[in-house]
Amino acid sequence: MRTMPDPPPTGEDAIIQEFLAPLAAGAPGARSLRDDCASLTPPPGMDLVLKTDPIRAGIHFFADDDPADIAWKALAVNVSDVAAKGATPLVYMLALSFPDYPQRSWLQGFSQGLRTAQEAFGCHLTGGDTDRAPGPVSIAVTIIGAVPHGQMVPRGGAKPGDGLYVTGTIGCAALGLALRSGTVPNGASDVTMNDAEREALIARYLRPQPRLALAGVLRRYASAAMDVSDGLAKDADRLCRASGVAGVLRLADVPLGTVARRRVAADPALLPRLVTAGDDYEILCAVPAANEAAFRAAAMASGVVVSRIGHMQQGTGLTTFGPDGSLIGLGRSGWDHFPPV
Amino acid sequence: MRTMPDPPPTGEDAIIQEFLAPLAAGAPGARSLRDDCASLTPPPGMDLVLKTDPIRAGIHFFADDDPADIAWKALAVNVSDVAAKGATPLVYMLALSFPDYPQRSWLQGFSQGLRTAQEAFGCHLTGGDTDRAPGPVSIAVTIIGAVPHGQMVPRGGAKPGDGLYVTGTIGCAALGLALRSGTVPNGASDVTMNDAEREALIARYLRPQPRLALAGVLRRYASAAMDVSDGLAKDADRLCRASGVAGVLRLADVPLGTVARRRVAADPALLPRLVTAGDDYEILCAVPAANEAAFRAAAMASGVVVSRIGHMQQGTGLTTFGPDGSLIGLGRSGWDHFPPV
């Protein structure tokens, strides 16, 4: 709780100039956010990769999250998509909507979080819009990345025989969300998790880490890729459908963090929940058999852990095998804003 | 009121494929909206021009407006900015947010309106996002246009001596908004306006007409340009500030529609209100004296009416002269989402 007065700043132009224009200093086409549009001279020989993925309070983040974390997430979820396409981010547009005048301290934290994120991801703010409307705070990033002409890694390029890989670990963000929202017992009696582990899981939810280091490796070796944001099983199914192939997912091979491993050992029913939860922001990709060894070596060299969790075959749909090797159904496969009612 | 059941469609992917993917057919990089990102191969020798201007129910449009009109406006307000920069639109991203499942009939009308608009403006949908969140329906377009390298017309390029021009007419949309919201007497006793005039004014509010035909003329002759969306006086002041010059605005020369002219004749106090209202989506530009004759001729050839409403001079700020030639203050100069409290 603040005890000092924190009068909200006024004037769209003044808010933009004080808090956002400094983030555009590295983008010449942003014109210090003093023009109606930004310009971008495309890098020669490159295609641009475009993505917009807005986040809204109460849906994608908690209204009382640290504004620096909210800013990080707003940019990271978009960078994650760009990375999965084998591209690197260049610039982003930012459309902010507030139900009321934002507090100065909130804007300061938010802009500082954006600065940290854009420096980590190597991109710059180049334009946007700020308005006031009822409803949750809404932060809509549209990102523009670059990839060598014709080399964007598609979702639909997988072929039968390809290995199915995922980066990092799955389910940590879901556990972090549960901790953040208080739905996991969090008291002293919970001996399976120490404070550092708890913090790390919450950080996985609050601060997704886009796997940008893998972008070049994907371009070189992957036949298809996408980021995992709506649940591993759902996104794997999407990759299969887009590619016109069937997929086999082996839950025994899905990489879990240490806490998730302990919890799944105690309660095997948790595993299907972790592979159908969202917010992982890992990369799922298909790799032709002939490339698999080189892919694994290049991924290791890039510092990104990859795990083979299945493969592609002739047919349609995703088949999932449980830890004991038996065929299982997952029920809902992941997040949908408009599920059947 | 519908008497037939209109069950809402379910499934984000299904909604996207049924209603939005057809709008992406002309954009190869959209990959039928089945990938995580779109790609764009930039036209050779061109810079890209970037803009995002979201519209939200209850703020920028009425929730019960025809969805085809809402769609038109969502795209038109962005195209207007692109046109003012001397650019032509290529593709756009669309982030939709609904507080609840949208009705099928609404989505049909909306997508039909988008089709009409994108065909009129010569661009294509290439990607986006659809989610569900409390609050007003939100429609966020991010548009990408193209302009010959280095030729984007800036807001800040005006010089002392330049003529100040505006396209079309000012204040029609403000009158249309007043009619649409019922704040202007609209009964049979209102003899100053017939039905056709009333419809035309409301259409100016609902369906802004971006002045795309002027884009090439602006590139060739204008030193500075921007679109008029937050009020002529406010936007003229912004153009002056960005250019580091003073501006003179002569209200007697501001072009009005026939109804506005009659109403201003009856109530001169209306004129300052019309030049500080928003939603005009005309183009304001500065033209060096040596270019003015050629600019006017080229604008006429392009079919866009332009009016000289003032000029630039040494100094700072915007000075406004009333219809009788006396200096006047306008009070608030235009729309601000975060005005001083």
Side-chain angles (χ1 to χ4, degrees):
Chain A
M1 183 69 80
R2 293 180 63 86
T3 54
M4 296 292 289
D6 179 23
T10 59
E12 286 168 57
D13 291 346
I15 291 173
I16 290 166
Q17 285 305 311
E18 179 173 355
F19 297 102
L20 299 174
L23 300 170
R31 296 157 190 257
S32 307
L33 306 186
R34 290 184 188 278
D35 210 315
D36 308 85
C37 297
S39 65
L40 175 68
T41 303
M46 306 292 272
D47 287 344
L48 300 180
V49 170
L50 315 174
K51 176 70 183 184
T52 186
D53 196 357
I55 65 172
R56 303 184 209 277
I59 307 291
H60 306 92
F61 63 90
F62 294 87
D64 63 348
D65 281 344
D66 183 325
D69 288 338
I70 297 169
W72 174 281
K73 188 168 199 172
L75 193 55
V77 302
N78 284 278
V79 170
S80 177
D81 280 295
V82 167
K85 303 286 100 181
T88 51
L90 292 177
V91 292
Y92 65 99
M93 307 284 283
L94 177 68
L96 297 174
S97 184
F98 299 104
D100 202 348
Y101 289 70
Q103 291 296 304
R104 179 171 295 276
S105 57
W106 194 96
L107 287 168
Q108 282 165 341
F110 181 77
S111 60
Q112 187 52 50
L114 269 184
R115 175 171 296 284
T116 305
Q118 71 177 34
E119 287 177 355
F121 307 145
C123 57
H124 299 279
L125 177 65
T126 199
D129 184 75
T130 301
D131 72 15
R132 187 152 59 106
V137 171
S138 168
I139 302 156
V141 165
T142 301
I143 198 159
I144 301 182
V147 66
H149 176 60
Q151 293 186 35
M152 183 177 116
V153 182
R155 184 191 282 191
K159 294 277 185 297
D162 290 358
L164 183 64
Y165 287 82
V166 74
T167 60
T169 56
I170 293 296
C172 290
L175 292 176
L177 168 57
L179 289 165
R180 174 69 182 81
S181 58
T183 58
V184 165
N186 198 16
S189 66
D190 183 2
V191 293
T192 63
M193 203 183 308
N194 63 38
D195 284 351
E197 288 171 333
R198 186 174 292 116
E199 290 302 309
L201 289 173
I202 293 175
R204 282 294 301 269
Y205 171 71
L206 294 176
R207 295 223 171 198
Q209 302 294 326
R211 301 299 183 184
L212 267 179
L214 203 68
V217 178
L218 293 169
R219 285 202 305 276
R220 187 152 182 194
Y221 299 111
S223 57
M226 64 188 297
D227 82 332
V228 181
S229 56
D230 289 337
L232 176 65
K234 177 167 188 163
D235 288 330
D237 184 62
R238 285 169 161 165
L239 191 146
C240 291
R241 287 177 195 276
S243 300
V245 298
V248 170
L249 173 63
R250 297 189 182 279
L251 295 194
D253 297 331
V254 171
L256 302 176
T258 51
V259 173
R261 266 206 308 278
R262 288 205 303 270
R263 288 189 161 266
V264 165
D267 175 13
L270 177 63
L271 184 54
R273 297 215 304 275
L274 294 181
V275 301
T276 56
D279 288 318
D280 293 303
Y281 298 106
E282 298 288 356
I283 292 176
L284 178 72
C285 63
V287 180
N291 288 353
E292 288 191 66
F295 168 75
R296 285 195 297 260
M300 185 177 295
S302 77
V304 178
V305 174
V306 296
S307 303
R308 194 181 200 277
I309 57 173
H311 64 275
M312 302 302 179
Q313 59 189 28
Q314 298 277 358
T316 57
L318 182 72
T319 305
T320 307
F321 291 96
D324 62 355
S326 64
L327 202 63
I328 64 167
L330 291 171
R332 87 161 205 170
S333 66
W335 176 258
D336 194 315
H337 281 285
F338 300 96
V341 282
Chain B
M1 182 71 80
R2 295 179 63 83
T3 53
M4 297 292 290
D6 180 22
T10 60
E12 284 168 58
D13 291 346
I15 291 173
I16 290 166
Q17 284 306 311
E18 179 172 356
F19 297 101
L20 300 174
L23 300 169
R31 298 156 189 259
S32 306
L33 306 187
R34 290 183 188 279
D35 210 314
D36 309 84
C37 297
S39 66
L40 175 68
T41 303
M46 305 292 271
D47 288 342
L48 300 179
V49 170
L50 315 174
K51 176 70 183 185
T52 186
D53 197 357
I55 65 171
R56 304 183 208 278
I59 308 292
H60 307 90
F61 62 92
F62 293 88
D64 62 350
D65 280 344
D66 184 324
D69 288 337
I70 298 169
W72 175 282
K73 187 167 200 172
L75 193 55
V77 300
N78 284 277
V79 170
S80 176
D81 279 296
V82 167
K85 302 286 101 182
T88 51
L90 293 176
V91 292
Y92 65 99
M93 307 285 283
L94 177 68
L96 296 173
S97 183
F98 299 104
D100 202 349
Y101 289 71
Q103 292 295 303
R104 178 171 296 277
S105 56
W106 194 96
L107 287 168
Q108 282 165 342
F110 181 78
S111 60
Q112 188 51 50
L114 269 184
R115 175 172 297 285
T116 305
Q118 71 177 31
E119 287 176 356
F121 307 145
C123 57
H124 300 279
L125 178 65
T126 198
D129 184 74
T130 302
D131 71 16
R132 187 153 58 106
V137 171
S138 168
I139 302 158
V141 165
T142 302
I143 197 156
I144 301 181
V147 66
H149 175 60
Q151 294 185 35
M152 181 176 118
V153 183
R155 183 191 284 190
K159 296 277 187 294
D162 290 357
L164 183 64
Y165 286 83
V166 74
T167 60
T169 56
I170 294 296
C172 291
L175 291 176
L177 168 58
L179 289 166
R180 174 69 182 82
S181 58
T183 58
V184 165
N186 199 16
S189 66
D190 184 3
V191 293
T192 63
M193 200 181 314
N194 63 39
D195 284 351
E197 289 171 333
R198 188 175 290 115
E199 291 302 309
L201 290 173
I202 294 176
R204 281 294 303 266
Y205 171 71
L206 294 175
R207 296 221 171 200
Q209 302 293 326
R211 302 300 183 184
L212 267 178
L214 203 67
V217 179
L218 293 170
R219 284 201 306 276
R220 187 150 180 198
Y221 299 112
S223 57
M226 63 187 297
D227 82 333
V228 181
S229 57
D230 290 337
L232 175 65
K234 177 168 187 162
D235 288 330
D237 184 62
R238 284 170 161 165
L239 191 146
C240 291
R241 286 176 195 277
S243 301
V245 299
V248 169
L249 174 63
R250 297 190 182 278
L251 295 194
D253 298 331
V254 171
L256 303 176
T258 51
V259 173
R261 265 204 310 276
R262 289 205 302 269
R263 290 190 160 264
V264 165
D267 175 14
L270 178 63
L271 183 55
R273 297 216 303 276
L274 294 181
V275 300
T276 55
D279 288 318
D280 293 302
Y281 299 105
E282 297 289 358
I283 292 177
L284 178 72
C285 63
V287 179
N291 289 353
E292 287 189 67
F295 167 76
R296 285 195 296 260
M300 184 176 295
S302 77
V304 179
V305 174
V306 297
S307 303
R308 193 181 200 276
I309 57 172
H311 64 275
M312 302 302 179
Q313 58 188 29
Q314 298 278 358
T316 57
L318 181 72
T319 304
T320 308
F321 291 95
D324 62 355
S326 65
L327 201 65
I328 65 167
L330 291 170
R332 86 160 206 171
S333 65
W335 176 260
D336 194 314
H337 282 285
F338 301 96
V341 283

